[in-house]
């Protein structure tokens, strides 16, 4: 359980960094990483509690990170 959680954080951090470097988002590096890690943690705990998700924890982290990057910044922008 603990290695899966650490892997989720690492994958989410990489996705957040890459999204800034490729121009997918314009939030700043640290905010994008924080958004990705938060989304990945939320999805990780939903998977633990309810069993929703994909078969691989890595795929869960990637999908949750990208989803959080899409939802959070566009929600607050006008």
């Amino acid at each position: 359980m603990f290695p899966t959680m650490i892997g989720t954080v690492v994958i989410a951090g990489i996705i957040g960094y890459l999204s800034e470097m490729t121009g997918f988002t314009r939030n700043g590096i640290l905010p994008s990483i924080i958004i990705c890690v938060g989304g990945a943690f939320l999805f990780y705990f939903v998977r633990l509690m309810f069993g929703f998700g994909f078969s691989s924890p890595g795929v869960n982290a990637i999908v949750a990170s990208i989803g959080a990057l899409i939802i959070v910044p566009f929600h607050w922008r006008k």
Side-chain angles (χ1 to χ4, degrees):
M1 185 163 114
F2 188 69
T4 305
M5 187 170 59
I6 295 299
T8 299
V9 170
V10 169
I11 290 172
I14 291 170
I15 297 292
Y17 179 76
L18 290 177
S19 70
E20 276 299 315
M21 291 297 115
T22 59
F24 182 68
T25 59
R26 289 183 218 109
N27 303 321
I29 294 173
L30 189 60
S32 288
I33 292 173
I34 291 171
I35 290 168
C36 284
V37 170
F41 265 134
L42 179 69
F43 201 71
Y44 174 76
F45 288 119
V46 165
R47 166 126 169 122
L48 280 179
M49 289 188 291
F50 303 112
F52 298 137
F54 302 104
S55 60
S56 171
V59 174
N60 286 340
I62 292 169
V63 170
S65 297
I66 293 172
L69 279 176
I70 291 172
I71 292 171
V72 171
F74 292 123
H75 176 74
W76 297 108
R77 289 184 185 166
K78 294 180 180 174

